[in-house]
Amino acid sequence: EVQLVESGGGLVQPGGSLRLSCVASGFTFSRYSMNWVRQAPGKGLEWVSYISTGSSLIEYAESVAGRFTISRDNAKNSLYLQMNSLRDEDTAVYYCARRDSTGNQDHWGQGTLVTVSS
Amino acid sequence: EIVLTQSPATLSLSPGERATLSCRASQSVSSYLAWYQQRPGQAPRLLIYDASNRATGIPARFSGSGSGTDFTLTISSLEPEDFAIYYCQQHINWPLTFGGGTKVEIK
C-alpha cells in the first residue's frame, strides 16, 4: 500500500523557518517525481513545488520561489521542503503528492499544518 | 499562468441526481486535465486523468469529457459519499494550476 506521511509542521513566527518532511513507503520512491501542494484554511489547492526523480528538474510557484527549497533523499525514501522567510500567507496544510506516469498526483499524504503567526 | 475557472461554485443536489461540473481554461491544455475529489478533513483524491480516464478504483458513475479549454466532470447518480469539493488541475505548463473548486452539497 502506497503511503505518504508528512511531518514538521507547526507554529512559527513571520520571518521564521521550518523544514517539512514526507516519508514514502509501499512503492519505489526513486522512480517517481514528487510535488508539494498546499491549502490555506477554507481555501482551494495551490501547487508549491516539484522535483524530478533524480532532482535534476525542480520547479517552484512564484509565491514561494527564492524562499522555499525542495529536495529529496532517495536512499531514505524522503521528500523535504525547507521553508524560509515565512509569511502569514504561507499558513496552510502542506501535502506531499506522488506524480505518476501520466503527470497526475495519484497519491497524497494526509498533510501537515503550518501556521505562521506572531 | 493558465487560469482554470470552475462553475458553479456550489451545486445543491439530492442523492440520485446527476451532477455536471465545468472547468474552463484560459488557454488550451489539450487533454492534460485532471479532476480531484476532496471530502471534509481529507486529502484530495485523483478521480479523472487526461480529461476522460478514470483513476484506479474510481466508480463508473464518474466520467470526464472535454479537450482544449472546456471540460466537464459528470457524476451520473449522486451517492451520499459524493458530496464533497471537486477541483480540476492542469499539468501541460508550469506552474501547475488548480481551479477554485465546486462544492457539491446536499439539497
Side-chain angles (χ1 to χ4, degrees):
Chain A
E1 179 192 4
V2 173
Q3 283 199 323
L4 298 168
V5 179
E6 302 95 336
S7 62
L11 175 64
V12 61
Q13 292 188 338
S17 298
L18 273 180
R19 188 194 196 205
L20 305 184
S21 299
C22 170
V23 177
S25 61
F27 66 100
T28 304
F29 179 71
S30 60
R31 294 182 181 175
Y32 289 85
S33 55
M34 299 291 293
N35 281 293
W36 286 100
V37 177
R38 68 184 180 183
Q39 187 169 36
K43 302 297 184 182
L45 301 170
E46 179 189 16
W47 170 76
V48 173
S49 185
Y50 163 88
I51 187 167
S52 63
T53 55
S55 305
S56 59
L57 178 60
I58 286 174
E59 300 283 348
Y60 296 100
E62 188 174 342
S63 58
V64 307
R67 300 187 298 122
F68 289 11
T69 302
I70 192 172
S71 62
R72 64 190 295 163
D73 185 336
N74 288 337
K76 294 183 178 180
N77 292 335
S78 294
L79 175 72
Y80 305 102
L81 188 67
Q82 177 66 44
M83 303 186 297
N84 298 332
S85 304
L86 283 161
R87 305 167 179 167
D88 291 350
E89 55 265 35
D90 295 318
T91 294
V93 173
Y94 284 74
Y95 297 101
C96 64
R98 188 180 84 167
R99 181 177 166 110
D100 68 10
S101 60
T102 65
N104 299 284
Q105 281 55 250
D106 68 341
H107 287 277
W108 298 62
Q110 282 305 299
T112 187
L113 176 62
V114 172
T115 303
V116 184
S117 175
S118 55
Chain B
E1 171 175 321
I2 296 175
V3 176
L4 299 177
T5 302
Q6 291 187 241
S7 61
T10 303
L11 200 51
S12 299
L13 295 167
S14 301
E17 288 193 295
R18 182 184 188 90
T20 303
L21 289 66
S22 173
C23 176
R24 177 163 290 179
S26 60
Q27 63 190 78
S28 177
V29 299
S30 185
S31 295
Y32 295 105
L33 187 109
W35 291 92
Y36 296 86
Q37 176 194 65
Q38 188 176 34
R39 294 171 176 150
Q42 295 187 15
R45 176 174 73 142
L46 177 65
L47 292 178
I48 300 288
Y49 67 92
D50 293 349
S52 60
N53 297 289
R54 276 190 303 277
T56 302
I58 301 303
R61 63 181 181 273
F62 292 92
S63 63
S65 63
S67 66
T69 60
D70 290 296
F71 300 87
T72 301
L73 174 69
T74 302
I75 310 171
S76 59
S77 178
L78 284 164
E79 296 288 339
E81 62 268 26
D82 299 337
F83 291 92
I85 300 176
Y86 294 83
Y87 296 95
C88 58
Q89 182 233 317
Q90 65 80 23
H91 65 93
I92 193 172
N93 278 347
W94 301 105
L96 304 183
T97 50
F98 290 88
T102 290
K103 182 179 182 180
V104 179
E105 64 176 24
I106 300 177
K107 186 174 181 179

